[in-house]
Amino acid sequence: MQCLDGKNCFLIAVEHELSKLVLMEFDNGKAVVRDQQPLGYHPDSAIWLTPDIVAAAVETGGTLDFFAVNNNQLKITDRRGVGFAPRDVLLVANDGDRYTLLATPYSGKNVAWLTWDRQNPEQSQLKSAFWCEAPWHPVHVKQLPQNRGAGIAVACLDDKKVIAVPASNWQATPEVLATFDVIPRQAKPSPSGRWLYVALETGGKNARIDMHTGELQFIQGDPRGASSVLALTDDLVIWGDSQRLTLQKLDAQGQVLDTREIKTSGYSTELQLHDINRDGVQDILVLNSTGETADVIFGPIWKD
């Protein structure tokens, strides 16, 4: 989702089972479908590169598909292979009309760095690397432990660890930030960058990594586990799971001070924070990987 100053919020998303790219506008908090276009079988994610360019990761064919957005219409402009079935695509950097994208796989260790040239797509460049098994949902982090600057972090489902690479060298050998005895489903930073929260699939606990010191803290959780995470503040975190969000307020040691729950419509695997109805208060967009419904939770999210 993108919410530009003085304008409505727009969502670009994939419908995994129907193999479509969908453009929605949120007008007074209500979602209106503006356009949808076919994609290859089983697309997995989509992102904005600019307010008028989007990219989608498509399993079949192993491609990143690029679309122009004009007058609320989607038009495909280019398609680039990455050498594997991509699960996620992340915008790493851009220089004018050149965009560096990271594609990570649905399964396997391959990742790809695509430098895509909007004006001259045939001059795009692809570089590959090996990371870990099933690195899902990479994210930018403001700092790596021991004051080593910004980077990209990701949870590796099949290797049960969280890794990171520095912004100073995207293709460096990844370092391991934490290892677990259960599957880490997603890692996301807190707003200040102090913590990297990790949703653990089972085991009745989740975790966070101190991005100053590298310390790992475990957080008491529901035995049913968590599949997604979103930090509202450094110590106020939301965990997504099957038909619910669990909100927790934590102390400095990661002990739970208060817990609340919000119902959702499906298996809540992606959470985003935006002022969707433009009232100056942050709301939560909940994308579910089951069913035909996404949710918008209008704020304020936490009232003391």
Side-chain angles (χ1 to χ4, degrees):
M1 181 174 283
Q2 66 173 6
C3 299
L4 303 178
D5 290 344
K7 297 182 179 181
N8 288 338
C9 295
F10 282 84
L11 173 68
I12 191 73
V14 295
E15 291 190 349
H16 179 76
E17 296 298 331
L18 299 179
S19 300
K20 292 180 180 180
L21 181 68
V22 181
L23 176 68
M24 292 185 181
E25 181 178 6
F26 285 78
D27 191 358
N28 292 320
K30 295 183 178 181
V32 181
V33 175
R34 294 305 185 194
D35 195 18
Q36 49 188 323
Q37 294 294 325
L39 293 169
Y41 185 65
H42 276 182
D44 278 328
S45 61
I47 61 169
W48 296 92
L49 303 186
T50 70
D52 64 345
I53 291 287
V54 301
V58 184
E59 283 185 38
T60 298
T63 63
L64 298 182
D65 293 3
F66 297 87
F67 288 78
V69 183
N70 186 28
N71 293 324
N72 292 339
Q73 299 295 304
L74 297 164
K75 181 180 180 180
I76 191 164
T77 62
D78 194 30
R79 178 177 291 120
R80 294 286 140 184
V82 295
F84 53 84
R87 173 66 180 84
D88 295 284
V89 55
L90 178 72
L91 176 61
V92 175
N94 71 286
D95 181 10
D97 285 328
R98 290 174 63 85
Y99 302 85
T100 300
L101 306 174
L102 168 65
T104 57
Y106 189 89
S107 61
K109 295 183 177 182
N110 299 76
V111 303
W113 304 90
L114 175 68
T115 301
W116 181 70
D117 192 309
R118 178 177 181 175
Q119 299 299 328
N120 300 286
E122 68 281 355
Q123 296 182 10
S124 300
Q125 299 176 349
L126 184 70
K127 296 181 180 180
S128 300
F130 294 97
W131 273 9
C132 57
E133 287 288 347
W136 280 23
H137 315 313
V139 291
H140 289 278
V141 292
K142 295 179 180 179
Q143 60 185 27
L144 297 175
Q146 283 77 51
N147 297 315
R148 284 175 295 117
I152 291 174
V154 68
C156 307
L157 277 69
D158 294 343
D159 276 345
K160 300 179 181 178
K161 59 187 177 183
V162 173
I163 64 169
V165 293
S168 59
N169 181 8
W170 297 123
Q171 297 188 60
T173 299
E175 64 171 298
V176 177
L177 299 182
T179 58
F180 303 95
D181 56 5
V182 297
I183 293 173
R185 287 295 301 264
Q186 190 177 72
K188 280 189 179 179
S190 64
S192 76
R194 167 68 187 277
W195 300 102
L196 183 65
Y197 281 91
V198 185
L200 300 178
E201 187 173 76
T202 56
K205 58 186 177 182
N206 294 296
R208 64 181 183 179
I209 301 165
D210 188 326
M211 298 300 276
H212 290 162
T213 67
E215 174 195 4
L216 178 65
Q217 292 183 351
F218 284 98
I219 302 165
Q220 188 66 36
D222 192 285
R224 290 171 289 180
S227 61
S228 58
V229 61
L230 175 67
L232 297 179
T233 69
D234 277 354
D235 296 309
L236 183 57
V237 61
I238 304 173
W239 310 100
D241 190 31
S242 180
Q243 297 188 313
R244 65 182 178 147
L245 304 181
T246 301
L247 290 70
Q248 292 182 325
K249 181 175 285 188
L250 310 174
D251 67 13
Q253 287 72 47
Q255 297 298 308
V256 179
L257 302 175
D258 196 359
T259 301
R260 302 176 189 179
E261 189 169 299
I262 300 174
K263 296 297 183 181
T264 61
S265 302
Y267 196 66
S268 303
T269 52
E270 174 62 22
L271 313 177
Q272 296 181 23
L273 194 64
H274 301 278
D275 179 8
I276 295 171
N277 60 352
R278 318 307 272 164
D279 65 351
V281 179
Q282 296 283 66
D283 313 302
I284 303 175
L285 171 69
V286 184
L287 300 181
N288 300 305
S289 61
T290 56
E292 298 180 353
T293 304
D295 301 295
V296 174
I297 313 298
F298 291 108
I301 305 304
W302 184 285
K303 295 181 180 179
D304 289 318

